[in-house]
Amino acid sequence: MKRQLVLEDGTAFTGEAFGSPDVSQGEVVFNTGMTGYQEIITDPSYCGQIVTLTYPLIGNYGINRSDNESGRPSISGLVAREVSDAPCHWQKDKTLSEWLAENNVPGIKGIDTRKLTKIIREHGTLRGKIAAADENPETVAAELRDWPLPKDQISRVSTKSVYVTPGSGPRVVLVDFGAKQGILRECIRRGLDVVVVPYNTSAESILKFHPDGLLLSNGPGDPKDVPEAIDMVRTILGKVPLFGVCLGHQLFALASGANTVKMRFGHRGVNHPVKDLRTGKFSITSQNHGFTVEKASLEGTELEITHLAINDGTIEGLRHKRFPAFSVQFHPEASPGPDDSQGLFDEFVTLINAHRKEGAGLA
């Protein structure tokens, strides 16, 4: 069955349908990872987006039960050059197309994904629609230009209730803005007692859990769309050690007086080099974000840069000069991607333990 991908600038690609027969629309982005399509599709940070995978062959190892980063796919649609209908892997449960169909996610394959990626790189992310083959592209493009991008993605992917993953170590409150399972996994590996709370939980409610640390997760959309979370972070800063990841990094920056801006086409992939300014060492990182902290806005704040992106010089890490708080824009839990930066979770635990000892000494 034929279908189209139509962009707001009027560009239309005709290809073959896979996954769900539904139509859908969203912001069209691209990811440069060679593997990890299942983790990408279930990453809540992609909520509301149509994801283009630049690697030419997708689905060749199928879908299994262990690689999900959330309970179900979060994307609005998937674009690929070629999709395997006969995957081979010992853990495979089903094909990519079968799984997307079960979860009402439409896909389009057989289009020139290189051309599409070049358009996004040149013009920035664009609204798009996976449309029926007989829809008029000009009409669809006009509708897309008038369509406001959603602002409720975080509320759609965040947990609706508090839950606990018990551990024998320090207690950490993980604020779920669309947290990947990889973040929780890294906490569990370190024996942390994790309390996961919804994105709009107040500082007062969080402090009632008597946390030893606060972890701000990744998540979709514009961090300025959740002002209540910015107020929460601002209130808690200095009370307990804080670690922000991706969206959590941006919220930490906003709460500290800095500003965030939308990027032209963002960073999405598992191959982004980052320099740690504290050690001079480089890491290859997994990334997925469309906003960044504005460098000029750091002037007059108590934040200092700890990490920089090698490709474009954007900020990839921050530290508070006075409070026990730091953040990174990339994903130290990887999934998918290299585990070069997983030691940042150990840094967080070290910061928590130092803060607890300091508190015990004061007592």
Side-chain angles (χ1 to χ4, degrees):
M1 184 175 73
K2 296 291 184 181
R3 66 171 29 147
Q4 300 179 88
L5 172 67
V6 183
L7 305 180
E8 63 177 290
D9 67 353
T11 305
F13 298 85
T14 300
E16 297 177 43
F18 71 100
S20 168
D22 299 340
V23 298
S24 70
Q25 58 193 47
E27 185 179 39
V28 183
V29 301
F30 65 86
N31 184 292
T32 57
M34 293 176 63
T35 61
Y37 53 81
Q38 185 172 339
E39 295 96 321
I40 291 166
I41 292 168
T42 54
D43 179 352
S45 294
Y46 284 111
C47 179
Q49 295 179 323
I50 296 173
V51 179
T52 304
L53 299 173
T54 63
Y55 191 68
L57 177 60
I58 300 299
N60 51 319
Y61 52 88
I63 297 296
N64 63 71
R65 289 186 295 174
S66 30
D67 286 343
N68 286 346
E69 284 299 315
S70 64
R72 64 177 307 277
S74 298
I75 62 173
S76 291
L78 188 67
V79 182
R81 179 72 183 96
E82 182 180 351
V83 176
S84 174
D85 292 324
C88 182
H89 193 275
W90 69 275
Q91 287 183 307
K92 173 187 74 73
D93 290 325
K94 58 194 69 173
T95 69
L96 172 60
S97 185
E98 289 169 343
W99 181 60
L100 291 180
E102 289 175 6
N103 288 279
N104 302 314
V105 177
I108 181 171
K109 64 181 180 178
I111 72 166
D112 188 343
T113 51
R114 178 174 291 185
K115 178 181 177 181
L116 173 58
T117 301
K118 286 182 175 180
I119 290 172
I120 297 171
R121 285 182 61 90
E122 181 178 349
H123 299 289
T125 54
L126 295 165
R127 297 171 179 84
K129 181 179 180 180
I130 294 179
D134 58 356
E135 290 191 67
N136 185 312
E138 293 182 2
T139 303
V140 172
E143 292 172 352
L144 287 170
R145 288 191 290 270
D146 290 334
W147 177 61
L149 290 173
K151 295 180 178 292
D152 64 342
Q153 300 100 311
I154 293 173
S155 64
R156 286 157 55 186
V157 297
S158 175
T159 181
K160 301 299 186 288
S161 58
V162 176
Y163 64 94
V164 179
T165 303
S168 59
R171 169 167 287 184
V172 168
V173 169
L174 169 58
V175 185
D176 178 12
F177 299 105
K180 292 168 62 182
Q181 283 299 304
I183 292 179
L184 192 56
R185 264 193 311 269
E186 292 304 313
C187 291
I188 293 170
R189 281 179 57 190
R190 289 158 177 82
L192 297 174
D193 183 43
V194 186
V195 180
V196 184
V197 302
Y199 78 98
N200 54 357
T201 305
S202 68
E204 181 183 11
S205 296
I206 288 173
L207 292 173
K208 285 181 179 178
F209 290 108
H210 303 290
D212 297 304
L214 180 69
L215 182 50
L216 307 175
S217 84
N218 63 289
D222 186 341
K224 293 177 182 175
D225 288 340
V226 282
E228 63 271 42
I230 300 170
D231 291 338
M232 176 272 291
V233 175
R234 188 180 294 121
T235 300
I236 289 184
L237 263 176
K239 292 182 172 64
V240 297
L242 179 149
F243 179 24
V245 175
C246 199
L247 182 81
H249 158 83
Q250 297 161 12
L251 292 169
F252 169 54
L254 289 167
S256 302
N259 186 40
T260 56
V261 293
K262 188 168 185 177
M263 306 173 76
R264 191 175 187 181
F265 51 82
H267 293 172
R268 297 176 180 89
V270 298
N271 46 9
H272 289 257
V274 166
K275 182 177 182 179
D276 187 334
L277 302 182
R278 304 166 300 174
T279 64
K281 293 183 178 180
F282 296 81
S283 297
I284 303 301
T285 66
S286 176
Q287 301 201 13
N288 173 17
H289 59 99
F291 290 80
T292 186
V293 177
E294 188 178 35
K295 277 186 182 179
S297 72
L298 296 182
E299 187 175 348
T301 72
E302 294 188 272
L303 297 175
E304 64 180 11
I305 301 172
T306 58
H307 297 75
L308 284 175
I310 300 305
N311 290 339
D312 60 8
T314 52
I315 294 173
E316 291 287 344
L318 292 168
R319 184 183 74 88
H320 202 283
K321 296 176 182 178
R322 191 159 50 95
F323 299 139
F326 70 102
S327 64
V328 290
Q329 181 63 80
F330 51 91
H331 285 262
E333 80 286 350
S335 300
D339 58 9
D340 298 22
S341 304
Q342 287 183 352
L344 288 166
F345 288 97
D346 298 318
E347 287 188 32
F348 183 42
V349 174
T350 299
L351 195 64
I352 288 172
N353 289 333
H355 191 260
R356 292 173 81 187
K357 285 182 180 179
E358 183 180 310
L362 291 174

